[in-house]
């Protein structure tokens, strides 16, 4: 059976309600109207944001706007000497004093140096009314996003790129397009829009100078190389115990997305160990035609005594809910798990407000996807691949197809453009930790955490990734690479850390990954509509993409490795994202 992409002839997002984010205008603001909640000669704070997203410092000198969640509030308040009083708010989720008010207090005392004291997630704007200087800052790992326009007398800043739509052109950044086709996400400061940039994790930008500073950098720091695996496992376990306990909501049920793999199972077991309220777990499958991991997720749920929920996602769901999913994403993400993530989040919201996940285990502790790169590093004299070429190919997307996939004039302008990955690939760190750092800095910040943030917020959930906590990430770079991935043994240190709280069958099972059946989808269910979408001469991608190659892919000509479905999903996601983000 074939499905229609859009339920109406109008815009595919006509029936989707997207909550506007806060918005800051900087520069020429005297002629601005609309819903302005605070302004002066240089700055205007706009939109229907909730009061807790805006704060003034006690003297009124500093204005703080942002999306902020801090896990070390108690420590920060003690540092400031603030009376803890009735610390927890009535909802049990956040402390009574707002995170932004706390940052305003810290900024007044220590200035931008206070960013090094924060533990948590944030994308924020701080305005110094005395010096008329604006600061933009993002958390170390990239759990929250922050975007800004790059042209005009008025610069616009927002946590969601859609909020900047009226203030940018529709011109695409061709380098970002190339990188998306290689990776299924847009890495680095670029976005798919030429006139919009993204703040990088761990950085601070000052306006009007537009100077960017790194207040934190991810780097290898192995200081106890003589210690054994058990020593590192004990320290990792202590850290995970602390982080998960900080993430659990007070006196509220909590949820965990549970695949049955090591990472999500570890977080489930830790949450069940420490939480004094119900723990709900959520798993997916794709129907009787496809294999699933329900055997393992159900085993973990039973072992941890959680309230377990299973969602079947149909091929109709995958296709029909894709426009809604793309509308919620800041930049396009071609990972087929985007739709399942949104639908599972909507299911979870029926029971919980806070949802945990196991994201971060692979980039921090040595998932098997690094093995092809390690092999290339050993045998590159035989394969004749440089490290950048090998890294791009390891994504298994469209890197090798670019000369044929892009129109000739587009490819000619792009083929010599440098890559955002080159500096990290050529660093002095051990080779595996170089790969870890790359995956944390780019795939982590630009795909995984952005997806978690966008899609949990779309489901009205507070999404948290304990394995991507900045303290866990920093500790992972202190671990010798042989305790992460050694030969076929993956994540040895994480397995050691949680061996006493999970069944041995979960600890020892090889990683399979959540395989979304897009190959079957395009072969059996989505063929006709995919052709209409991708081969239309007026499609959004038609100025850039060789549609005759797409026609071959849709016929599955020469698909020896069974990869065309993944490539087609990446392109369908791009086309729909462009359609739903047109001005």
């Amino acid at each position: 059976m074939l499905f229609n992409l859009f339920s109406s002839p109008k815009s595919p997002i006509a029936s989707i309600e997207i909550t506007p984010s806060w918005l800051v205008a900087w520069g020429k603001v005297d002629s601005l109207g609309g819903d302005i909640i605070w302004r002066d000669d240089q700055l205007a704070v706009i939109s229907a944001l909730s009061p807790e997203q805006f704060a003034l410092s006690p003297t009124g000198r500093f204005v703080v706007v942002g999306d902020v969640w801090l896990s070390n509030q108690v420590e920060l308040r003690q540092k400031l000497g603030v009376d803890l009083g009735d610390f927890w708010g009535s909802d049990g989720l956040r402390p009574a004093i707002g995170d932004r008010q706390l940052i305003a207090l810290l900024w007044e005392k220590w200035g931008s140096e206070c960013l090094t004291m924060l533990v948590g997630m944030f994308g924020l704007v701080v305005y110094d009314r005395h010096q008329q200087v604006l600061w933009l800052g993002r958390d170390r790992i990239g759990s929250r996003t922050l975007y800004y326009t790059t042209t005009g007398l008025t610069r616009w800043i927002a946590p969601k790129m859609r909020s900047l739509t009226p203030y940018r052109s529709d011109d695409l950044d061709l380098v970002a397009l190339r990188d998306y086709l290689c990776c299924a996400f847009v890495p680095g400061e670029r976005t798919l829009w030429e006139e919009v940039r993204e703040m990088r994790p761990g950085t601070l930008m000052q306006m009007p100078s537009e100077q960017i500073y790194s207040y934190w950098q991810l780097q290898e720091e192995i200081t106890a190389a003589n210690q054994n695996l058990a020593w590192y496992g004990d320290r990792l376990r202590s850290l995970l115990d602390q982080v998960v306990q900080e993430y659990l909501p007070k006196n509220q049920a909590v949820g965990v997305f549970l695949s049955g793999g090591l990472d999500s199972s570890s977080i489930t077991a830790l949450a069940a160990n420490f939480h004094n309220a119900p723990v709900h777990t959520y798993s997916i499958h794709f129907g009787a035609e496809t294999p699933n991991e329900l055997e393992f997720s159900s085993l973990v749920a039973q072992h941890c005594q959680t309230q377990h929920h299973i969602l079947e996602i149909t091929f109709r769901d995958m296709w029909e809910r894709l426009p809604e999913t793309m509308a919620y994403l800041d930049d396009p993400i071609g990972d087929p798990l985007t739709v399942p993530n949104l639908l599972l989040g909507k299911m979870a919201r029926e029971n919980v407000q806070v949802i945990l996940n196991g994201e971060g285990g692979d980039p921090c502790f040595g998932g098997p996807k690094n093995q092809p790169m390690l092999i290339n590093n050993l045998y590159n004299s035989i394969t004749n691949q440089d490290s950048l070429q090998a890294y791009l190919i390891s994504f298994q997307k469209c890197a090798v197809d670019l000369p044929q996939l892009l129109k000739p004039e587009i490819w000619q302008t792009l083929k010599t453009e440098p890559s955002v990955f080159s500096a990290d690939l050529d660093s002095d760190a051990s080779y595996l930790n170089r790969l870890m750092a790359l995956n944390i800095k780019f795939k982590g910040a630009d795909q995984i955490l952005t997806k978690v943030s966008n899609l949990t917020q779309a489901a009205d959930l507070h999404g948290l990734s304990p394995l991507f906590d900045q303290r866990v990430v920093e500790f992972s770079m202190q671990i010798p690479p042989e305790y992460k991935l050694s030969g076929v043994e993956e994540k040895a240190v994480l397995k050691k850390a949680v061996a006493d709280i999970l069944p041995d069958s979960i600890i020892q099972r090889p990683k399979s990954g959540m395989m979304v059946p897009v190959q079957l989808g395009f072969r059996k269910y989505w063929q006709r509509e995919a052709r209409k979408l991708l081969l239309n001469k007026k499609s959004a991608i038609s100025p850039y993409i060789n549609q005759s190659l797409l026609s071959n892919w849709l016929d599955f000509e020469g698909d020896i490795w069974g990869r065309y479905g993944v490539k087609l999903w990446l392109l369908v996601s791009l086309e729909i994202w462009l359609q739903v983000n047109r001005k």
Side-chain angles (χ1 to χ4, degrees), residues 153-174:
L153 297 176
T154 307
R155 300 298 177 88
W156 298 87
I157 305 148
K160 295 193 179 299
M161 198 151 60
R162 177 176 291 277
S163 299
L164 302 179
T165 300
Y167 315 109
R168 54 139 178 97
S169 74
D170 272 341
D171 296 335
L172 295 196
D173 184 313
L174 295 181

Short mmCIF file of all heavy atoms in Angstrom, two decimals, residues 153-174:
data_model
loop_
_atom_site.label_atom_id
_atom_site.label_comp_id
_atom_site.label_asym_id
_atom_site.label_seq_id
_atom_site.Cartn_x
_atom_site.Cartn_y
_atom_site.Cartn_z
N LEU A 153 21.71 45.66 9.68
CA LEU A 153 21.92 46.57 10.81
C LEU A 153 21.35 46.02 12.10
O LEU A 153 21.73 46.45 13.19
CB LEU A 153 21.28 47.93 10.50
CG LEU A 153 21.86 48.69 9.30
CD1 LEU A 153 21.08 49.98 9.04
CD2 LEU A 153 23.34 49.00 9.53
N THR A 154 20.41 45.09 11.97
CA THR A 154 19.85 44.42 13.15
C THR A 154 20.22 42.95 13.09
O THR A 154 19.97 42.28 12.08
CB THR A 154 18.31 44.55 13.17
OG1 THR A 154 17.95 45.93 13.05
CG2 THR A 154 17.74 43.99 14.47
N ARG A 155 20.84 42.47 14.15
CA ARG A 155 21.16 41.04 14.24
C ARG A 155 20.10 40.38 15.13
O ARG A 155 19.73 40.92 16.16
CB ARG A 155 22.55 40.82 14.83
CG ARG A 155 23.66 41.46 14.02
CD ARG A 155 23.74 40.86 12.60
NE ARG A 155 24.75 41.51 11.80
CZ ARG A 155 26.02 41.14 11.77
NH1 ARG A 155 26.43 40.12 12.52
NH2 ARG A 155 26.88 41.78 11.02
N TRP A 156 19.69 39.20 14.71
CA TRP A 156 18.63 38.49 15.42
C TRP A 156 19.19 37.21 16.01
O TRP A 156 19.98 36.51 15.38
CB TRP A 156 17.48 38.17 14.46
CG TRP A 156 16.85 39.40 13.90
CD1 TRP A 156 17.23 40.09 12.78
CD2 TRP A 156 15.73 40.11 14.44
NE1 TRP A 156 16.42 41.17 12.59
CE2 TRP A 156 15.48 41.21 13.60
CE3 TRP A 156 14.90 39.91 15.55
CZ2 TRP A 156 14.45 42.11 13.83
CZ3 TRP A 156 13.87 40.80 15.79
CH2 TRP A 156 13.65 41.89 14.93
N ILE A 157 18.77 36.89 17.23
CA ILE A 157 19.30 35.75 17.98
C ILE A 157 18.13 34.98 18.55
O ILE A 157 17.19 35.58 19.11
CB ILE A 157 20.23 36.23 19.12
CG1 ILE A 157 21.34 37.13 18.56
CG2 ILE A 157 20.80 35.04 19.88
CD1 ILE A 157 21.78 38.20 19.52
N ALA A 158 18.18 33.64 18.44
CA ALA A 158 17.09 32.82 18.96
C ALA A 158 17.59 31.40 19.21
O ALA A 158 18.56 30.95 18.59
CB ALA A 158 15.91 32.78 17.98
N PRO A 159 16.92 30.65 20.10
CA PRO A 159 17.30 29.26 20.34
C PRO A 159 16.76 28.30 19.29
O PRO A 159 17.19 27.16 19.22
CB PRO A 159 16.68 28.96 21.71
CG PRO A 159 15.45 29.82 21.74
CD PRO A 159 15.83 31.08 21.01
N LYS A 160 15.82 28.76 18.48
CA LYS A 160 15.25 27.93 17.42
C LYS A 160 15.41 28.67 16.09
O LYS A 160 15.04 29.84 15.97
CB LYS A 160 13.78 27.61 17.70
CG LYS A 160 13.60 26.75 18.94
CD LYS A 160 12.21 26.18 19.02
CE LYS A 160 12.06 25.30 20.26
NZ LYS A 160 12.99 24.16 20.24
N MET A 161 15.92 27.98 15.09
CA MET A 161 16.23 28.64 13.82
C MET A 161 14.97 29.11 13.12
O MET A 161 15.00 30.12 12.40
CB MET A 161 17.04 27.71 12.93
CG MET A 161 17.75 28.44 11.82
SD MET A 161 19.26 27.66 11.27
CE MET A 161 18.68 26.09 10.72
N ARG A 162 13.86 28.42 13.33
CA ARG A 162 12.61 28.84 12.69
C ARG A 162 12.22 30.26 13.09
O ARG A 162 11.63 31.00 12.29
CB ARG A 162 11.49 27.87 13.05
CG ARG A 162 10.13 28.27 12.49
CD ARG A 162 9.09 27.22 12.80
NE ARG A 162 9.34 25.99 12.07
CZ ARG A 162 8.94 25.80 10.81
NH1 ARG A 162 8.30 26.75 10.16
NH2 ARG A 162 9.18 24.67 10.20
N SER A 163 12.57 30.68 14.31
CA SER A 163 12.23 32.02 14.77
C SER A 163 12.94 33.10 13.97
O SER A 163 12.53 34.26 13.97
CB SER A 163 12.56 32.17 16.26
OG SER A 163 11.82 31.25 17.03
N LEU A 164 14.03 32.73 13.27
CA LEU A 164 14.80 33.70 12.48
C LEU A 164 14.34 33.77 11.03
O LEU A 164 14.89 34.55 10.24
CB LEU A 164 16.29 33.33 12.51
CG LEU A 164 16.93 33.26 13.91
CD1 LEU A 164 18.39 32.87 13.79
CD2 LEU A 164 16.80 34.59 14.64
N THR A 165 13.33 33.00 10.65
CA THR A 165 12.89 32.92 9.26
C THR A 165 12.59 34.29 8.64
O THR A 165 13.02 34.55 7.50
CB THR A 165 11.67 32.00 9.14
OG1 THR A 165 12.03 30.69 9.58
CG2 THR A 165 11.17 31.92 7.69
N PRO A 166 11.88 35.20 9.32
CA PRO A 166 11.59 36.48 8.67
C PRO A 166 12.81 37.36 8.44
O PRO A 166 12.73 38.34 7.70
CB PRO A 166 10.63 37.16 9.67
CG PRO A 166 10.12 36.07 10.55
CD PRO A 166 11.24 35.08 10.64
N TYR A 167 13.94 37.02 9.04
CA TYR A 167 15.10 37.91 9.06
C TYR A 167 16.30 37.36 8.28
O TYR A 167 17.41 37.86 8.41
CB TYR A 167 15.51 38.18 10.51
CG TYR A 167 14.32 38.50 11.39
CD1 TYR A 167 13.88 37.59 12.35
CD2 TYR A 167 13.61 39.68 11.20
CE1 TYR A 167 12.78 37.87 13.13
CE2 TYR A 167 12.49 39.96 11.99
CZ TYR A 167 12.08 39.05 12.94
OH TYR A 167 10.98 39.32 13.71
N ARG A 168 16.07 36.35 7.45
CA ARG A 168 17.14 35.78 6.63
C ARG A 168 16.63 35.59 5.21
O ARG A 168 15.44 35.60 4.94
CB ARG A 168 17.58 34.42 7.19
CG ARG A 168 16.42 33.44 7.36
CD ARG A 168 16.77 32.03 6.96
NE ARG A 168 15.65 31.10 7.17
CZ ARG A 168 14.81 30.75 6.22
NH1 ARG A 168 14.93 31.23 4.99
NH2 ARG A 168 13.83 29.90 6.47
N SER A 169 17.57 35.40 4.29
CA SER A 169 17.19 35.08 2.91
C SER A 169 16.96 33.57 2.80
O SER A 169 17.23 32.81 3.73
CB SER A 169 18.30 35.50 1.94
OG SER A 169 19.40 34.61 2.03
N ASP A 170 16.50 33.12 1.63
CA ASP A 170 16.32 31.70 1.38
C ASP A 170 17.54 31.06 0.70
O ASP A 170 17.47 29.93 0.23
CB ASP A 170 15.08 31.46 0.50
CG ASP A 170 13.81 31.32 1.33
OD1 ASP A 170 13.92 31.04 2.54
OD2 ASP A 170 12.71 31.46 0.76
N ASP A 171 18.66 31.80 0.65
CA ASP A 171 19.86 31.27 0.01
C ASP A 171 20.47 30.16 0.86
O ASP A 171 20.63 30.31 2.08
CB ASP A 171 20.90 32.38 -0.18
CG ASP A 171 20.43 33.46 -1.13
OD1 ASP A 171 19.57 33.16 -1.98
OD2 ASP A 171 20.90 34.61 -1.01
N LEU A 172 20.81 29.05 0.20
CA LEU A 172 21.42 27.94 0.92
C LEU A 172 22.92 28.12 1.03
O LEU A 172 23.58 28.68 0.15
CB LEU A 172 21.14 26.61 0.21
CG LEU A 172 19.70 26.11 0.12
CD1 LEU A 172 19.71 24.63 -0.26
CD2 LEU A 172 18.94 26.33 1.41
N ASP A 173 23.48 27.63 2.13
CA ASP A 173 24.92 27.52 2.29
C ASP A 173 25.34 26.21 1.63
O ASP A 173 25.02 25.13 2.11
CB ASP A 173 25.27 27.52 3.78
CG ASP A 173 26.77 27.51 4.04
OD1 ASP A 173 27.47 26.71 3.39
OD2 ASP A 173 27.23 28.29 4.88
N LEU A 174 26.04 26.31 0.51
CA LEU A 174 26.35 25.11 -0.28
C LEU A 174 27.33 24.18 0.43
O LEU A 174 27.26 22.95 0.26
CB LEU A 174 26.88 25.51 -1.64
CG LEU A 174 25.89 26.25 -2.55
CD1 LEU A 174 26.53 26.57 -3.89
CD2 LEU A 174 24.61 25.43 -2.74
#
